[in-house]
Amino acid sequence: MIGWTTLLLLMSAATPILFAALGEAIAERSGVLNLGVEGMMITGALAGFAAAHATGSPLAGFVAGAAAGAAISLIFGVLTQYLLTNQVATGLALTMFGLGLTAMFGRPYEGVKAPSMPGGPLGVNWAIWLGLALVPLTWFVLNRTRRGLILRGVGENHDAAHALGYKVRLVRLVAIAIGGAMAGIGGAYVSIATVLQWTEGMTAGAGWIALAIVVFAGWSPWGVLAGAWLFGGVAVLQLRLQAAGVAVPVQLLSMAPYLATIVVLVIISARQKYRGRGSAAPGSLGRPFHATR
Amino acid sequence: MLRLEPRAATPWWLAVASPLMAVVATMVAGGVLFALMGFDPVASIRTIFWDPLFGPASGYSRPQLLVKAGPLILIASGLAIGFRAGIWNIGAEGQYIIGGICGAAVALAAYPAEGAWIFPAMVLAGAAGGWAWGMIPATLRNWTGASEILVSLMLVYVAQRVAAWMAFGPMRSPEGFGMPGSRNLQHYPSAANPELMAGTGAHWGVVAAALAVLATWFLMSRHIRGFRIRVAGLAPRAARFAGVRPETLVAFCLGLSGALAGMAGLFEVSGPGGQITDSFGSGYGFTAIIVAFLGRLHPLGILLAGLLLALTYIGGELAQLMLQLPAATVQVFQGMLLFFLLGFDTLTRYRLRWRGTK
């Protein structure tokens, strides 16, 4: 029987991925493939931790994490949107740069404790509630508002959107910054609410898992929630097995989230390929936009 | 307003100048960063880029150049081929780790036998291990269409945990007093990959890297398969009409880059690294991505770029020692370098034009 504590653990493990994947889904719906999620998350993790430590307020930490994630994502935004660089390579650069920068500036924070997170209703902290609330909100904005329609239009066919007079690059820049801010919040959650301290490279691939979950989700916010919870479930199951002393080495058990991500990715891709369900990917995803007129 | 206008062809001098401009820009930006952190920018940059080659302690650091450049060039040569075809193997780090483990497994199984066959068998096992690890994303992409970017990257994390498991479990040295880590292969003559000429730092991995540069140059500019790879990258539809099967290309590019990364791992574990530990992967697989881009995906460029990035590794260590610069400086430099490179590359593809308001 799954108890409330297990469910809580699951939601907590899913939250960083949920934030990051929702943000990336927004960016990808606008046609931008940003592989820098890991770099933005780790930046948010350090900035968030530093701010929370300096002010003693976790809320300030989350705000700082969002700001730092958005700020660093704009490097990617300017390069890919205004200098038309390759999105795959630029995203990789963002991840490497973020990991390096945080390793450099994170030194003074090693071994420092985070301020404690205040609890929320039902013992669930408000960051988890915020993540849950963002799912319907993102869905609503994307599917039921004019701005959402423009964003999706830009993502499906940037030439058509440009011809209609929409500012493709500006829309994408905003989507990238929102994605960066949400990845930053996800990273801040890791350092402030789950690990409670700063260590180099602490997001440990969560950003990449978030990228895979966007594909799994078919670019829909509700799908992202399902994917994040699935991931949270695997993470908790692995911890439970470790605690129960199963006769499998810890190192092998800790592969579970990464292997599960591959399995999920493969199943979803195969379904799209063989069931004749064309990919739900936005039409202009990853393609640079250069206005000829 | 400034705007970009596509170029029909890239002038050759720009293709050469853009990586150089990126390097200079990285030095300037790095200097600014150091100044902000309270270090002397000129001294820092000199320590990283000049002192390892010509400074007072260069007798020690110069051989390290080839030690670090060898794996970078070997891995990047393979990656560049895939990048040309639009096939993104970003999991070379994982293939490197698995190659190292497979090669070490042969040595540890043969221990303490001595024989001339052992080292070649290790090289083959390392290449086979890396190839197999690279073929996982290739097969999954060909069968199901799963993104090779994400699968190969996930497999890096899996490989890191395999290495940790090996170091703590099956490969733990019986003479290691319970410490994690395998036997040190440097102390096992038949399996060791020593410095071939004293004072150069060159080991078999450096020889392999040189051969890889030659072989990939031949493949890409003289062989029909290289031509197909280039066409597939430039015009995928045209390639398909010309009978290039994308599945074959995916398997070839990921398999080849995996095998080369696996060999790099083997040369490292039998040489400078010495043993399988839980932190065996040291980031060469990721840095090699930068090497490939900085070298403009061209074998000769990769050779030079590999040497330059090797220099940043050694210079970074030196700066850490001499000036107490943080260890992560190198990573920041590498990230900035890739940003600047991608930015300056825009100039090779587009012309900057002023446009007055209409």
Side-chain angles (χ1 to χ4, degrees), chain B:
Chain B
M1 186 183 123
L2 208 57
R3 91 195 174 97
L4 300 170
E5 188 177 276
R7 286 179 192 274
T10 305
W12 67 268
W13 60 269
L14 251 184
V16 175
S18 98
L20 295 180
M21 288 192 284
V23 172
V24 173
T26 307
M27 287 187 192
V28 172
V32 171
L33 189 68
F34 292 142
L36 287 177
M37 292 172 68
F39 294 100
D40 177 359
V42 178
S44 308
I45 298 292
R46 200 190 55 224
T47 310
I48 295 177
F49 290 97
W50 182 262
D51 284 357
L53 293 178
F54 309 107
S58 61
Y60 165 75
S61 53
R62 230 178 278 161
Q64 284 293 311
L65 196 65
L66 288 183
V67 170
K68 307 273 190 218
L72 289 176
I73 294 169
L74 193 55
I75 301 170
S77 306
L79 292 181
I81 293 173
F83 292 171
R84 283 247 170 148
I87 295 162
W88 297 93
N89 177 10
I90 58 171
E93 180 77 5
Q95 294 137 23
Y96 168 92
I97 293 173
I98 296 296
I101 291 174
C102 289
V106 170
L108 295 173
Y111 186 86
E114 298 285 350
W117 61 274
I118 292 177
F119 192 69
M122 287 165 63
V123 176
L124 286 180
W131 175 82
W133 209 248
M135 284 306 282
I136 299 173
T139 312
L140 292 179
R141 172 163 163 182
N142 283 342
W143 283 358
T144 70
S147 155
E148 81 280 12
I149 298 178
L150 292 173
V151 174
S152 66
L153 197 279
M154 283 294 135
L155 286 172
V156 174
Y157 292 97
V158 175
Q160 284 170 346
R161 276 147 187 86
V162 172
W165 172 53
M166 286 291 163
F168 280 91
M171 284 192 175
R172 169 140 57 175
S173 171
E175 289 152 23
F177 307 103
M179 297 283 280
S182 70
R183 281 182 200 282
N184 194 320
L185 299 180
Q186 286 169 338
H187 305 147
Y188 174 18
S190 289
N193 172 24
E195 199 175 20
L196 296 172
M197 275 186 292
T200 58
H203 56 67
W204 284 112
V206 176
V207 177
L211 290 176
V213 168
L214 284 176
T216 51
W217 172 80
F218 180 79
L219 173 75
M220 293 310 284
S221 53
R222 291 289 177 273
H223 197 278
I224 180 73
R225 174 150 268 171
F227 176 72
R228 285 183 174 155
I229 289 168
R230 283 186 287 150
V231 173
L234 291 170
R237 273 168 60 83
R240 232 170 299 145
F241 285 126
V244 177
R245 293 192 51 214
E247 287 84 4
T248 320
L249 275 191
V250 168
F252 177 78
C253 291
L254 278 160
L256 179 71
S257 52
L260 291 179
M263 274 165 66
L266 170 275
F267 290 125
E268 190 69 17
V269 74
S270 55
Q275 56 175 171
I276 295 289
T277 61
D278 56 343
S279 57
F280 173 60
S282 46
Y284 283 139
F286 292 116
T287 307
I289 297 174
I290 303 177
V291 171
F293 280 113
L294 185 64
R296 307 203 60 90
L297 309 182
H298 186 282
L300 188 65
I302 287 170
L303 180 69
L304 297 173
L307 288 169
L308 179 75
L309 278 154
L311 183 64
T312 65
Y313 269 115
I314 307 160
E317 279 171 24
L318 201 62
Q320 199 187 337
L321 201 70
M322 307 295 289
L323 307 172
Q324 282 77 46
L325 240 58
T329 309
V330 183
Q331 270 175 290
V332 177
F333 256 88
Q334 293 178 350
M336 284 199 299
L337 182 58
L338 190 48
F339 275 139
F340 279 118
L341 184 71
L342 293 164
F344 278 112
D345 258 5
T346 303
L347 295 178
T348 66
R349 290 177 296 124
Y350 299 92
R351 219 188 285 275
L352 283 177
R353 278 286 158 86
W354 281 102
R355 180 177 59 178
T357 43
K358 278 182 190 167

Side-chain angles (χ1 to χ4, degrees), chain A residues 162 290-293, chain B residues 3 355 358:
Chain A
H162 175 68
H290 184 247
T292 42
R293 280 196 297 161
Chain B
R3 91 195 174 97
R355 180 177 59 178
K358 278 182 190 167

Side-chain angles (χ1 to χ4, degrees), chain A residues 242-268:
Chain A
Q242 265 184 40
V246 184
V248 177
V250 178
Q251 296 90 357
L252 296 187
L253 274 179
S254 62
M255 289 175 190
Y258 309 106
L259 290 175
T261 306
I262 295 177
V263 169
V264 161
L265 201 59
V266 164
I267 292 172
I268 290 300

